[in-house]
Amino acid sequence: MGNVILTGFMGCGKTSVGLKLSYRLRRTVIDTDREIEREEKRTISDIFAADGESYFRDRETVCLRKLIESAGNQIISVGGGLPLREENRRLLHELGQVFYLRATGETIYARLKGDTTRPLLQGEDPQSKIETLLRERDPFYREAADVVIEVDGKSFEEILSEIEEKVTEA
Ligand code: S3P
């Protein structure tokens, strides 16, 4: 399929890295969250509030299946929870080369504190929620990934160069 796929926890930089990478590699960029919002004509927060997380997770799988039909040679950033489903990890591998942008809880908390657009991090103690989810999810992100990129303390330039060096999908 020749796609470059960016995964990782919320706030790890998938969307920004995806945009910058699209200029560097001259490929278009797609974001599964934005695709789902466009198709559903409502925000992720509204989808979670009205229909719940499992409805959203089904939409993610449908979105991946559609991308397998249509996307080639693109950069695809995917929602932070998408690689948790076994089927989705298999679909990701079918879709292209998967990069896991790995950040620590500290970095993520610093970037996302005050954010109101991630339903899973609303509530009392987002910092410990981040740590718990990260610990649970890291093995799945690793399993889904062809390449792990540690992003903590690195500039965009460093991250982009590392990805570019490792891209094998033509
Ligand atoms: C989620 C991550 C979000 C979005 C939804 C659920 C998650 O995407 O899909 O809020 O479960 O980690 P980003 O990783 O782009 O923030």
Side-chain angles (χ1 to χ4, degrees), residues 7-12 14-15 31-34 36 44-45 48 53 56-57 60 77-84 112 115 117-121 133 137 141:
T7 70
F9 201 81
M10 295 169 263
C12 70
K14 291 166 297 207
T15 305
D31 182 298
T32 57
D33 285 341
R34 301 293 85 76
I36 293 169
I44 305 279
S45 301
F48 269 70
E53 181 173 350
F56 175 72
R57 299 298 173 205
E60 290 187 311
S77 60
V78 308
L82 184 144
L84 304 180
L112 292 188
D115 176 274
T117 66
R118 269 86 170 189
L120 293 180
L121 301 183
L133 284 177
R137 291 177 171 194
Y141 292 136

Side-chain angles (χ1 to χ4, degrees), residues 143-157:
E143 198 184 314
D146 296 301
V147 180
V148 180
I149 307 273
E150 302 288 345
V151 300
D152 267 19
K154 288 184 187 158
S155 65
F156 273 123
E157 193 50 41

